[in-house]
Amino acid sequence: MTNNSSLIRIESLKIGLEDGTELVKGIDFSMGRERVALVGESGSGKSLTARSLMGLLPDSLHVQADRFELLGEAVLPYNQRQWNQLRGKQVAMVLQDPKYALNPTQNIGRQVAEPLVLHQSLSKKVRIEKVEHMLDAVGLPNPAQLRKMYPHQLSGGMGQRVMLAIALINDPQFLIADEPTSALDHAVRDQVLELISSLVEERNMGLLLISHDLQQVADYCERVLVMYQGQLIDQLAASELSNASHPYTKTLWSCRPNIDKRGESLPILDRKQIASLTEGAAR
Amino acid sequence: MNLIELNDVSISHVQGSERNTVVHDVNLTVKAGECFGLVGPSGCGKSTLLWVLAGLNPHWSGSINMLDQPLSAGKVFTGDLRRRVQMVFQDPYASLHPKHRLRRALSEPLKLLGYQDIDDRLSEGFKQVGLAENMIDRYPHQLSGGQRQRVAIIRALLLEPKLLLLDEPTSALDMSVQAEILNLLNDLKAKRDLTMVMVSHDPDVVDYMCDHAVTMKAGRIDQEKFYN
């Protein structure tokens, strides 16, 4: 398990609807204890890919792969019980919007403790200690009090920190963050990304960070995978992004507005050109 | 020429008998033809201010002059103002009627105002924002987020407004689609005689788009900035 490329290994992963429409069209990637960004527009299949890694796809979608290994195990034939043993313990996920992902009727302490209840047998006292320690680790003030609060009493940034506490409390090997900052304010975004990235590094975990904002995630990742319409069209090191060669990656990299671009029009995607390029690659 | 003048404007949200003042003593002017930005963290009152400018919240005090017309507090917009001020909302998924085809949703205000050449205006609008004309008979769910935001922009422009209010027009969109919409807004501003007021929490977007911007903090104006 210490082997660097052993956390996830996927070969020609296909996710399709029952009528044969392919949403993810055969992608290969592998990753170890590193921070990887998965970038693409909405509808590119990045969230589907991430959900398939958690066994969270609805039954109406068919997953096929030549190889689909998580932590060295072939998990594709797993049933719900086996997935439940893995999820929240070895692999954890942070979702986009804490407003919808947290249970409004349960206090924070109970929700953060749930993975502990499910995967470890601890006394209540130890559980509370662990929860408070975890809340402290994600930078939330006054954990003892916060534990008794409900999600609606928290701001978006705090909610996302709570989500992160839930995900990390069992010390998973691997964290998937599905657009963790899209629902947050601009100023809070960098703080949350910074926190995720430093906690992941501290604990020597793997991180798959999903986003549509290439510039923002580039600072927090070592490697970038770019998806477009169900295909993995580019992979490169984050440090190489400024001289990316693929036109899609180039546009994503440079389309963010800033003060220096005043008066010029922003680069936009030439979808026809990209379509012809990806078709060429498929052949 | 000043299109909007606010003097000592305070704004409250009224719920039942409770009154909660969220914007305090704001003074600002917006010149005709400029793109004016309102920036700040969530909850600072920037959207509240925009809603007053759109005539959607009458609970304000102070004095407001808009398009050379004084507004009176507690009253809704009347007359020409209703047509000359239009708004584009944040979430393109929530701002179009899900059960009406685009043609029906978009022609409603034109019918109300007694326009005759509705179809021509609609297809002209679609051309302007770069959508195919055959999309006009689709339902909103058959469009992508960026396309829906374009439709919301057509809807606002059909009535030939002087003032376009934009409430976080791109924050629900992908970065690459945001670039397309911002380019479109810049084009439209150059082509038509439009004044825009744009609310955003992304300082980069405001830096890129606006000629004049204020930063708000806890209901007050914190900084004012002019870009050459």
Side-chain angles (χ1 to χ4, degrees):
Chain A
M1 206 92 95
T2 45
N3 178 357
N4 197 37
S5 62
S6 64
L7 278 183
I8 295 179
R9 192 173 290 164
I10 285 174
E11 279 169 28
S12 88
L13 168 70
K14 289 180 184 162
I15 301 174
L17 292 170
E18 252 157 49
D19 64 3
T21 321
E22 282 195 340
L23 304 173
V24 174
K25 300 164 186 165
I27 63 172
D28 309 294
F29 73 96
S30 63
M31 60 174 289
R33 293 174 194 283
E34 54 179 338
R35 288 164 295 160
V36 175
L38 183 59
V39 185
E41 289 179 288
S42 34
S44 62
K46 55 191 194 308
S47 288
L48 283 178
T49 309
R51 272 159 200 263
S52 73
L53 292 173
M54 288 284 280
L56 286 175
L57 290 177
D59 290 340
S60 56
L61 293 174
H62 290 279
V63 185
Q64 272 179 31
D66 293 348
R67 191 171 196 167
F68 195 94
E69 287 178 8
L70 223 61
L71 310 162
E73 304 272 325
V75 293
L76 207 52
Y78 269 23
N79 59 26
Q80 280 307 324
R81 247 190 75 183
Q82 288 168 305
W83 271 117
N84 284 343
Q85 281 167 5
L86 200 67
R87 279 193 294 239
K89 192 175 178 198
Q90 308 278 14
V91 196
M93 192 164 188
V94 175
L95 297 164
Q96 180 170 352
D97 195 341
K99 258 188 291 186
Y100 300 112
L102 291 172
N103 185 339
T105 66
Q106 289 182 3
N107 66 32
I108 301 300
R110 187 163 162 196
Q111 295 187 57
V112 178
E114 194 180 315
L116 292 177
V117 177
L118 291 173
H119 296 288
Q120 302 185 33
S121 42
L122 301 170
S123 71
K124 193 172 175 191
K125 201 177 141 213
V126 179
R127 271 208 312 265
I128 290 176
E129 255 169 42
K130 278 202 157 208
V131 166
E132 290 185 357
H133 183 250
M134 193 66 232
L135 289 175
D136 188 50
V138 295
L140 286 165
N142 218 340
Q145 213 179 5
L146 191 86
R147 199 163 57 76
K148 295 179 190 131
M149 285 172 46
Y150 285 85
H152 71 270
Q153 294 169 299
L154 306 181
S155 69
M158 287 167 89
Q160 205 55 286
R161 283 168 198 263
V162 171
M163 296 274 295
L164 197 59
I166 297 174
L168 295 183
I169 197 158
N170 270 331
D171 282 319
Q173 314 255 1
F174 186 64
L175 178 70
I176 299 169
D178 190 355
E179 308 232 7
T181 58
S182 321
L184 302 180
D185 234 353
H186 210 260
V188 191
R189 284 183 187 181
D190 285 332
Q191 288 172 19
V192 170
L193 283 176
E194 182 70 57
L195 177 72
I196 293 180
S197 143
S198 66
L199 284 175
V200 161
E201 203 167 24
E202 226 169 75
R203 288 155 191 252
N204 189 23
M205 298 162 50
L207 169 70
L208 187 65
L209 181 60
I210 299 176
S211 179
H212 61 80
D213 188 346
L214 187 53
Q215 283 211 341
Q216 194 162 37
V217 294
D219 297 341
Y220 303 99
C221 288
E222 289 143 10
R223 210 148 61 86
V224 178
L225 310 172
V226 184
M227 276 185 87
Y228 180 69
Q229 298 196 337
Q231 292 175 26
L232 200 59
I233 55 166
D234 202 4
Q235 356 189 350
L236 66 171
S239 52
E240 296 287 304
L241 274 168
S242 48
N243 35 24
S245 59
H246 198 285
Y248 185 73
T249 318
K250 249 193 206 158
T251 318
L252 277 189
W253 179 245
S254 57
C255 67
R256 193 181 173 82
N258 64 39
I259 193 155
D260 300 328
K261 293 189 189 135
R262 282 177 65 81
E264 359 175 332
S265 58
L266 297 168
I268 55 170
L269 295 172
D270 184 351
R271 288 171 202 276
K272 272 186 199 140
Q273 187 198 357
I274 291 161
S276 67
L277 268 177
T278 48
E279 260 169 42
R283 265 177 229 140
Chain B
M1 193 188 84
N2 291 337
L3 207 71
I4 306 174
E5 285 176 27
L6 304 187
N7 282 314
D8 293 327
V9 172
S10 299
I11 307 168
S12 318
H13 286 301
V14 176
Q15 211 166 31
S17 59
E18 275 182 52
R19 173 175 278 265
N20 181 16
T21 306
V22 291
V23 174
H24 308 271
D25 310 320
V26 167
N27 292 295
L28 52 88
T29 54
V30 178
K31 289 202 183 69
E34 79 180 355
C35 178
F36 177 82
L38 277 167
V39 210
S42 13
C44 72
K46 56 194 192 311
S47 288
T48 307
L49 186 57
L50 197 74
W51 279 58
V52 166
L53 297 180
L56 296 170
N57 180 3
H59 304 290
W60 52 272
S61 62
S63 81
I64 303 182
N65 248 320
M66 228 165 145
L67 281 70
D68 297 323
Q69 207 174 320
L71 301 185
S72 38
K75 297 251 174 66
V76 293
F77 281 10
T78 50
D80 214 24
L81 213 50
R82 284 196 279 200
R83 200 153 26 119
R84 296 295 172 232
V85 181
Q86 290 294 326
M87 185 150 170
V88 175
F89 293 89
Q90 173 173 9
D91 188 355
Y93 294 84
S95 54
L96 289 166
H97 196 301
K99 284 187 165 181
H100 289 180
R101 290 179 201 272
L102 298 178
R103 185 189 296 279
R104 179 168 167 196
L106 292 174
S107 48
E108 205 167 274
L110 295 177
K111 271 185 200 152
L112 187 76
L113 291 165
Y115 282 98
Q116 294 302 318
D117 50 347
I118 291 177
D119 282 347
D120 293 343
R121 279 170 186 268
L122 290 184
S123 55
E124 180 58 30
F126 270 69
K127 246 184 253 160
Q128 248 180 15
V129 301
L131 288 177
E133 274 176 64
N134 56 17
M135 282 187 179
I136 201 161
D137 285 312
R138 290 202 191 170
Y139 286 102
H141 73 261
Q142 293 169 311
L143 306 178
S144 69
Q147 287 170 339
R148 257 179 274 199
Q149 199 59 295
R150 282 167 200 259
V151 173
I153 293 173
I154 301 178
R155 189 208 59 76
L157 292 180
L158 275 175
L159 298 172
E160 295 161 356
K162 285 237 168 359
L163 177 64
L164 188 62
L165 306 173
L166 303 152
D167 189 3
E168 310 236 10
T170 57
S171 65
L173 303 176
D174 276 353
M175 201 45 64
S176 48
V177 182
Q178 165 172 303
E180 292 172 19
I181 298 291
L182 294 183
N183 282 346
L184 168 67
L185 289 172
N186 270 336
D187 280 358
L188 290 169
K189 193 180 140 215
K191 266 189 222 148
R192 296 170 167 228
D193 177 26
L194 259 185
T195 309
M196 300 198 284
V197 175
M198 181 165 175
V199 162
S200 179
H201 63 227
D202 188 341
D204 289 338
V205 171
V206 171
D207 280 347
Y208 172 69
M209 291 287 292
C210 298
D211 309 306
H212 173 194
V214 295
T215 310
M216 286 184 72
K217 207 171 173 183
R220 289 171 202 280
I221 289 183
D222 193 41
Q223 280 171 32
E224 190 160 12
K225 200 167 165 188
F226 290 90
Y227 301 87
N228 43 50

